[in-house]
Amino acid sequence: MRHFGHVAPEERQRLFHQEPSVFTAQSPARVLAAALGATLYSPATRPQLADDIVKQGGRGVISMVLCLEDSIDDADVADAEENLVRQFTDLAGRPGAELPLLFVRVRAPAQIPDLVERLGPAARLLSGFVLPKFTEERGVPFMEALTAAEAASGRRLFAMPVLESPGLLYLESRRETLEGIFRTVDKYRERVLALRLGVTDFCSAYGLRRAPDMTAYDVQIVASVIADVVNVLGRSDGTGFTVTGPVWEYFRVQERMFKPQLRRSPFTPEAEDLRAALIEHDMDGLLREIALDRANGLLGKTCIHPSHVLPVHALSVVSHEEFSDAQDILRPERCGGGVLRSAYTNKMNEVKPHRAWAERTLQRAEVFGVANEDIGFVELLAAGLPA
């Protein structure tokens, strides 16, 4: 699989200075963590789930979560599990199908070994599990169950804990909760692919819901939690983990209070219809939040609608300017430090302070590619849209 793999080769050549690399579900964890991109959630109750997975894989989706938790009714869990096993068995009988990385969001630790056993040979299609409301107390049983299932099945299984508990939100318990989460994920580091933020649950604790023309970073109590999570769990000193961006809830037209946030200048006259469509479907707010995710140390994003996938991926591609700066900073002859003017002559690159940024940028470039010098996110968006 590869990002923008659904785009024709000649079009990729036009778009990319360095094309996204090819990887598989067996690739190293660092590659998969960076490559998750827009992780599309789907209720495990969908009767045509196997068809949906194949369809989305063919449209550029790289990772999906099949949900047995909040997206389905409590009374439907048993039926959803049966459906999940049936749909995985169906997928296993489709050799050559383009499948994303598949994860299952469970409710309880016991579901993990039970589902792996019930899946049988079809478990080879499973990349891991998403663990809800993760804290030290709740997380340890989940991780022990995942470890046991991994040993029993003989295949690698990853965990993606969701950070969404009230203990993480409330000021008086936040530090202790974060420290406990760190102890747990550090102990099981090799099995933790990424940490996901459950911002909807954070808002729920205070009866809040952000409007489509506001981002998670405009809700100050949410922004403060994101900052603290990155502070403790997203460090670039070798102790940190990939932390993914929060879900964007909107995908239909809403009444607007504020002016659109998407400037005209990046859009050529030919692309004005694309700009209008993005604004009409509240995508301008999504694009702004994706940019703020990256500015705040997050990579990838939880998505609940297929229309959100391409904007996340288009804005994850490394620009030619970013790539040029990162390469300059990491040149072997610059290991002693120093300051240099960027090749684009518009900024200062300070070798030691910017090294961690440069390393992360090249890691993102490996999986999302590097745009050609004259290519921006508008061209990437337009190229990835269905014909």
Side-chain angles (χ1 to χ4, degrees), residues 337-358:
V339 178
L340 58 147
R341 184 175 64 171
S342 72
Y344 276 69
T345 68
N346 60 358
K347 72 177 74 64
M348 174 194 75
N349 288 328
E350 194 167 353
V351 174
K352 288 184 178 179
H354 290 147
R355 177 169 291 274
W357 169 85

Side-chain angles (χ1 to χ4, degrees), residues 45 68-69 71-82 107:
T45 50
L68 294 168
E69 207 226 1
S71 69
I72 66 173
D73 191 279
D74 294 347
D76 294 334
V77 175
D79 288 342
E81 289 179 347
E82 289 182 11
R107 295 182 172 218

Side-chain angles (χ1 to χ4, degrees), residues 106-162:
V106 292
R107 295 182 172 218
Q111 286 179 296
I112 294 175
D114 179 60
L115 281 170
V116 171
E117 182 179 2
R118 290 163 65 183
L119 285 171
R124 63 182 174 80
L125 304 179
L126 183 64
S127 289
F129 292 88
V130 174
L131 314 178
K133 300 171 179 61
F134 195 91
T135 61
E136 183 173 32
E137 182 180 2
R138 283 179 53 87
V140 169
F142 274 117
M143 296 306 303
E144 289 176 345
L146 184 136
T147 302
E150 188 179 65
S153 65
R155 59 169 290 106
R156 181 177 68 172
L157 293 170
F158 287 116
M160 290 203 290
V162 185

Side-chain angles (χ1 to χ4, degrees), residues 3-4 35 67 148 160 280 310 369:
H3 283 288
F4 294 90
C67 186
M160 290 203 290
E280 181 183 355
L310 183 55

